[in-house]
């Protein structure tokens, strides 16, 4: 995208749950299917309220959307070679790996925001990160990792283990 296109592109105003406003390019905002549909339904004349997303998380989500929108624009640019596209793919994979290196509370807030805003790639990325945190761990290790209280009695837990022995092999 040329600088003229970027300068003339329509800006969308988003308001976080704590009242902070963000002005972003439409190409970045439409990474969210929720926002895209609001724009298509002409609900974006004023600031779009996002009552389920705080400013802290919205700024991270918009950073992610901008990086991905720019990456798509770069790889779809006229004259982009296969090598350029591969380099862009590698760059975005590296960015994504760094993006999810956050504390658990932020990660879970990103999951909720990605779900609410319907940003499939961000939801997949964050959920995969949680799945990787669980992978190969015992139930006790998972409880410790996520600070989950065990509400089973010893007898109930033994019954579950017996009924689902295949899962504990």
């Amino acid at each position: 995208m040329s600088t003229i296109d970027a300068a003339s592109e329509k800006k969308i105003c988003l308001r976080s749950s704590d009242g902070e406003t963000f002005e972003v390019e439409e190409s970045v905002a439409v990474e969210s299917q929720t926002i895209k549909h609001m724009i298509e339904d002409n609900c974006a004349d004023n600031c779009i309220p996002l009552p389920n997303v705080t400013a802290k998380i919205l700024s991270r989500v918009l950073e992610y959307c901008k990086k991905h929108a720019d990456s798509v624009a770069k790889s779809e640019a006229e004259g982009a070679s296969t090598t350029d596209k591969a380099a862009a793919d590698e760059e975005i994979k590296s960015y994504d790996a760094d993006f999810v290196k956050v504390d658990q509370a932020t990660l879970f807030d990103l999951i909720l925001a990605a779900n609410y805003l319907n940003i499939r790639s961000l939801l997949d990325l964050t959920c995969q990160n949680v799945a990787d945190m669980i992978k190969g761990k015992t139930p006790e290790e998972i409880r410790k990792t996520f600070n989950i209280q065990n509400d089973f009695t010893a007898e109930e837990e033994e019954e579950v283990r017996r009924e689902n022995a295949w899962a504990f092999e």
Side-chain angles (χ1 to χ4, degrees), residues 89-158:
D89 282 351
E90 277 307 308
E91 182 184 333
I92 208 73
K93 282 179 187 174
S94 173
Y95 173 82
D96 285 354
D98 288 340
F99 185 81
V100 292
K101 290 180 182 170
V102 294
D103 60 273
Q104 274 187 22
T106 301
L107 182 62
F108 293 136
D109 286 343
L110 285 169
I111 290 171
L112 293 173
N115 186 50
Y116 173 69
L117 295 170
N118 196 2
I119 305 171
R120 188 79 201 171
S121 61
L122 179 57
L123 185 60
D124 289 347
L125 174 68
T126 51
C127 287
Q128 183 61 55
N129 190 263
V130 172
D132 292 343
M133 292 166 78
I134 293 171
K135 192 176 184 177
K137 291 189 175 178
T138 66
E140 291 77 23
E141 292 170 327
I142 294 169
R143 284 191 200 104
K144 187 174 184 210
T145 300
F146 297 108
N147 199 23
I148 300 170
Q149 194 70 35
N150 184 2
D151 56 356
F152 282 128
T153 64
E155 296 80 29
E156 290 172 329
E157 192 166 344
E158 184 53 43

Side-chain angles (χ1 to χ4, degrees), residues 14-16 28-38 48-54 57-65 109-123:
L14 306 173
R15 184 179 304 112
S16 66
V28 173
V30 298
E31 289 283 311
S32 160
Q33 291 299 303
T34 302
I35 293 170
K36 180 180 179 187
H37 292 134
M38 292 177 96
I48 298 173
L50 301 172
N52 295 355
V53 188
T54 64
I57 297 302
L58 184 56
S59 67
R60 292 294 316 260
V61 169
L62 292 174
E63 172 193 323
Y64 173 90
C65 290
D109 286 343
L110 285 169
I111 290 171
L112 293 173
N115 186 50
Y116 173 69
L117 295 170
N118 196 2
I119 305 171
R120 188 79 201 171
S121 61
L122 179 57
L123 185 60

Side-chain angles (χ1 to χ4, degrees), residues 156-169:
E156 290 172 329
E157 192 166 344
E158 184 53 43
E159 184 180 341
V160 169
R161 287 180 183 276
R162 207 174 35 257
E163 288 174 357
N164 301 288
W166 59 269
F168 297 98
E169 293 174 352

